[in-house]
Amino acid sequence: GDMGTAYIHIRTAITLAPEDLELQDTLAWWYYLTQDYLQAITLLNKIVKAQPNHALYRHHLGMAYLKSGNNEQARQHLQRALDLGIDAGSQRLIEEHMP
């Protein structure tokens, strides 16, 4: 509900486990939801570099690129998420939004 409170909790969790990529992804998705696509893309690129074969991270990066208007990068990462075998629900979302 409250994005400000969510941010505080996410940052607290990251302070306790700074190397946890799931928490980093949660923060990146928070940036996405608050329409700070540049921050989301910056963080998600670091996450994808660390885990290039993680379909959900690729999906999130692709969506952030899509919202930022970079359709070429969006398509590349969304297709890679599909190729890696993302879950069925996410697959439907990707297919609906694929540029």
Side-chain angles (χ1 to χ4, degrees):
D2 179 9
M3 295 301 282
T5 301
Y7 178 78
I8 291 168
H9 290 298
I10 295 166
R11 294 302 300 189
T12 300
I14 289 173
T15 300
L16 297 172
E19 302 301 317
D20 188 318
L21 294 180
E22 296 283 332
L23 292 174
Q24 297 288 328
D25 178 63
T26 300
L27 177 59
W29 199 244
W30 183 90
Y31 287 132
Y32 174 89
L33 292 174
T34 59
Q35 300 178 5
D36 189 346
Y37 305 120
L38 180 58
Q39 286 281 24
I41 289 167
T42 299
L43 184 52
L44 285 162
N45 269 314
K46 291 177 186 174
I47 295 167
V48 165
K49 184 176 180 181
Q51 289 287 320
N53 294 321
H54 195 291
L56 183 61
Y57 300 158
R58 291 284 185 158
H59 176 204
H60 287 172
L61 181 55
M63 292 303 294
Y65 273 123
L66 184 64
K67 288 289 190 173
S68 76
N70 188 333
N71 288 346
E72 182 178 331
Q73 286 292 323
R75 188 176 312 107
Q76 177 185 4
H77 290 287
L78 292 173
Q79 185 60 56
R80 184 69 179 130
L82 292 173
D83 294 344
L84 289 167
I86 198 157
D87 65 272
S90 296
Q91 181 178 346
R92 281 190 299 277
L93 287 173
I94 290 171
E95 290 169 351
E96 289 173 11
H97 292 96
M98 184 72 82

